[in-house]
Amino acid sequence: MDALDRPGPEKEPGWIVHFDRAYPADGQAHCYLDLRQPELAARKVEEALSWHPEHRVRRRTSDLLLLATARFQTRDVEGACESATQAVTLLAQLRSTLDVEYLNRFRSPLRSFERESAARDFEAGLRAAAGRSILGRSEIRYA
């Protein structure tokens, strides 16, 4: 509690830099998804993305996958695949087990939409990205 009582960069613990304006919006988006309120989740994750600087690649990747999931739950398959494609582009630069798990969670229900061109195009793009990057050595599950 001492650190909270004495504000100032010289007194703050090092981990506090991770708690920016985007952090609460991220948490709220996860909660809204868990509560099956994808419209509210999408709104919160878009808010979080607007606050993430470009250099926060892992957090942007996580949020893009969260947005993809929220859009998918509203049956916006095209928008979901667009967000997921952006995430895969960023994920190719990372070694993030959590983001690969988010990707796999997104893809699981997407398989039932394989007749839609957006879903087919996303899967083809993912396979191509996996062949060219670190994604090829990760735990991405293919049907």
Side-chain angles (χ1 to χ4, degrees), residues 34-126:
D34 290 344
L35 294 170
R36 303 265 188 243
Q37 296 181 22
E39 295 88 0
L40 292 171
R43 194 172 322 139
K44 282 298 177 180
V45 78
E46 286 170 344
E47 185 179 311
L49 280 164
S50 73
W51 290 328
H52 287 310
E54 294 294 321
H55 71 273
R56 291 250 171 113
V57 178
R58 200 198 69 71
R59 287 187 68 189
R60 292 186 67 76
T61 303
S62 295
D63 280 350
L64 284 165
L65 289 166
L66 191 62
L67 180 59
T69 300
R71 286 178 170 170
F72 182 78
Q73 288 181 6
T74 64
R75 298 295 186 232
D76 177 7
V77 176
E78 189 172 322
C81 290
E82 179 183 309
S83 296
T85 297
Q86 292 173 19
V88 166
T89 300
L90 296 176
L91 186 56
Q93 305 169 37
L94 302 172
R95 290 183 186 261
S96 172
T97 303
L98 179 62
D99 287 330
V100 169
E101 182 57 36
Y102 287 162
L103 177 61
N104 285 328
R105 280 190 218 158
F106 166 73
R107 290 178 62 234
S108 184
L110 184 66
R111 289 184 183 104
S112 62
F113 286 82
E114 64 188 6
R115 292 183 185 175
E116 294 204 26
S117 63
R120 284 193 315 273
D121 293 347
F122 170 74
E123 286 295 327
L126 176 61

